Amino acid sequence: MALLSLLPPARNPVVFTPSGVDSTVPVAVTWDTGTLASGRLTLRIDGGAESVCGFGRTGSAVTTVTLNQTQTFTLRSALGQVLATLVVTTALESAPVPVTPSERIRMSRVTVHRDSVQLRWRTALSISCWAEVTAPGEQTRFAWTDPGSVHEVRFDRPPADCTVRIATEGAAARYVGTVPAGTDEWVADPAEYRALHLRTRTDATSSGVALAGRVHIDTPAGPVTVRQWPDGSLDAQGNGESTPLGGPFRNGVIACAGAAGPALVATTAGGELVACGVRPGAAADWVPLGQRDPLSVAAVPMPGGAAHVLVAGSDGKLRHRVFDGTPEGAWESLGQGVAAVSAVGHPAHGLVAVAVTEAGEIRHRRRDLAGVWDEWVCLGSVSEAVCVAYWEDTDTLALTAVDPDDAVQVLAWPGYPAPAGRGTWTPAGTLTSVEAVTTPRSDTERRNCGAR
């Protein structure tokens, strides 16, 4: 009887380790026709054309296999009769293990291009990770990273709707989002999106948008895209022109919608807070704002193209001023002991500032349309939290606080600013894969993160 088998110690399916998903594995097969007559061994890869890889009554052959590949070996007699067939498949090693909150994957950036998708995420442990992309009628695609705590991959996107999962070595893959075919949109896991009351976009007309790589802003002159490159430099694209904006700048650049184009607030590599109005095709005119090494910055657009700028300084003081494109403007002090600030505007309610104090208190203050500030109101405490403010609807202010272990609490304030409508903090699960909050890569960037 004819025999066709893998040489020990090979297994079928051939198992790939997470750190070797991009490698090839040698496969050795042996055969025996079971008669005195010679035979012929052929190989077909993924249903392609057959190729001859051996002759003789007995023998062996060596080939290599990659993850997701199927290799079909066929042993035939001299007359073409099929004597034996061996189908070699592959599998990815996966052994789920308990994962503590501090070891969770934290998505920080998703950039969708026409033919590719780029992901960036963070883990607490220095481990190997990979992205797993599936689509109907397509083979699963993998993009692997070296061991580390910050991971970034880029993979070719299939033509159909694709589902993206992220996995760490020794743990099962977790669904994080989808990319619809024919779009440049990223759709975060909808269950987590709804549970956390977060948005995948922030209306740039009501609050500043953290760049996180790039941001699109609609202006009266047309849409403008502002990008921050890995070296910290900025550029703007609009009206068919690409305009360099200088740099390098630290992470945490904020863009607001302006009357003629976006207004940017940034911190230079040397620590100086600066701002400029962006006009595609025109050179950037950065204006020093007179603050250095801010802990946290927020910006809110104003009618007419100016912007409110709020800064929690390294001295713990919270300051506010208006940027109108010129160096003129004075800072007003709003309080002390502040570690982070978030802000959002409303055409009827004015400017809303939300501060996290060094003691973990979350405080609220409003500046009405006449420029008069209310008194500070304490909304409770969330230890070491990042807090962002946004409008859930036209009259409902919402706050989301995320602590260092990614536990999330949400406060809704219907009928804002009437005190009777203010709610209390409600647990909303754990932040794991919602792209709506930019996960910081440093203490300073963590304080600067905001809803998008």
Side-chain angles (χ1 to χ4, degrees):
M1 183 176 66
L3 296 175
L4 178 59
S5 62
L6 291 177
L7 281 172
R11 294 180 295 169
N12 192 11
V14 178
V15 177
F16 285 72
T17 62
S19 59
V21 295
D22 290 330
S23 63
T24 59
V25 175
V27 174
V29 297
T30 181
W31 76 87
D32 187 332
T33 63
T35 68
L36 296 178
S38 179
R40 182 176 80 254
L41 184 70
T42 62
L43 170 62
R44 185 192 302 270
I45 298 177
D46 291 336
E50 282 190 327
S51 60
V52 178
C53 55
F55 293 95
R57 186 179 64 82
T58 63
S60 63
V62 178
T63 183
T64 58
V65 64
T66 60
L67 185 62
N68 288 327
Q69 194 176 75
T70 299
Q71 297 192 352
T72 303
F73 294 89
T74 304
L75 178 63
R76 288 183 171 84
S77 68
L79 299 177
Q81 178 187 5
V82 175
L83 303 178
T85 300
L86 172 64
V87 178
V88 177
T89 58
T90 64
L92 183 65
E93 184 179 65
S94 179
V97 296
V99 179
T100 64
S102 62
E103 296 168 0
R104 288 191 177 94
I105 295 169
R106 300 177 180 181
M107 293 297 299
S108 60
R109 186 181 305 170
V110 181
T111 306
V112 181
H113 302 280
R114 181 179 58 84
D115 56 358
S116 65
V117 177
Q118 186 171 354
L119 304 175
R120 184 184 177 96
W121 69 93
R122 180 177 183 156
T123 57
L125 302 179
S126 182
I127 53 180
S128 298
C129 294
W130 70 95
E132 176 183 304
V133 185
T134 58
E138 298 280 337
Q139 288 191 342
T140 302
R141 305 181 185 202
F142 295 92
W144 173 75
T145 71
D146 292 320
S149 57
V150 178
H151 307 272
E152 190 163 3
V153 299
R154 185 187 185 102
F155 55 84
D156 295 336
R157 58 181 290 193
D161 292 357
C162 61
T163 299
V164 182
R165 290 178 172 83
I166 298 293
T168 61
E169 192 158 13
R174 188 184 68 243
Y175 165 55
V176 292
T178 58
V179 180
T183 73
D184 61 354
E185 298 294 324
W186 167 258
V187 182
D189 178 353
E192 295 182 354
Y193 171 84
R194 288 192 298 270
L196 299 178
H197 297 268
L198 293 175
R199 302 174 295 174
T200 54
R201 293 179 177 176
T202 290
D203 182 359
T205 63
S206 65
S207 63
V209 182
L211 253 61
R214 69 172 178 175
V215 68
H216 304 287
I217 294 181
D218 291 326
T219 72
V224 177
T225 299
V226 182
R227 297 175 183 265
Q228 184 172 25
W229 298 96
D231 63 359
S233 63
L234 298 173
D235 69 22
Q237 297 182 10
N239 297 325
E241 296 186 71
S242 179
T243 307
L245 302 177
F249 298 97
R250 296 179 182 178
N251 292 324
V253 178
I254 297 175
C256 294
L264 302 183
V265 180
T267 305
T268 67
E272 184 178 21
L273 188 69
V274 295
C276 81
V278 176
R279 307 292 184 269
D285 184 14
W286 290 96
V287 175
L289 297 183
Q291 296 290 317
R292 294 192 62 82
D293 296 317
L295 293 178
S296 179
V297 180
V300 173
M302 298 175 62
H308 293 286
V309 181
L310 296 99
V311 174
S314 56
D315 57 1
K317 293 183 178 180
L318 180 63
R319 299 176 175 88
H320 163 266
R321 67 163 284 180
V322 172
F323 170 68
D324 60 2
T326 68
E328 288 73 26
W331 289 97
E332 61 177 327
S333 178
L334 299 182
Q336 299 184 4
V338 175
V341 63
S342 176
V344 63
H346 192 284
H349 305 314
L351 172 65
V352 178
V354 176
V356 181
T357 71
E358 296 168 348
E361 289 186 346
I362 297 178
R363 297 179 176 178
H364 159 275
R365 195 172 190 183
R366 183 176 71 97
R367 182 181 190 265
D368 64 23
L369 298 180
V372 179
W373 287 95
D374 294 340
E375 296 297 321
W376 282 108
V377 176
C378 181
L379 301 180
S381 298
V382 180
S383 179
E384 299 182 65
V386 172
C387 186
V388 293
Y390 54 96
W391 296 106
E392 190 166 301
D393 56 46
T394 55
D395 290 308
T396 301
L397 178 69
L399 307 180
T400 295
V402 185
D403 71 15
D405 278 337
D406 290 344
V408 176
Q409 296 188 57
V410 174
L411 183 149
W413 191 335
Y416 181 87
R422 189 174 74 227
T424 58
W425 291 100
T426 302
T430 301
L431 178 69
T432 55
S433 67
V434 175
E435 190 259 342
V437 168
T438 302
T439 302
R441 296 179 290 282
S442 67
D443 289 343
T444 299
E445 191 179 353
R446 182 175 179 84
R447 297 186 184 101
N448 284 343
C449 83
R452 295 211 307 277

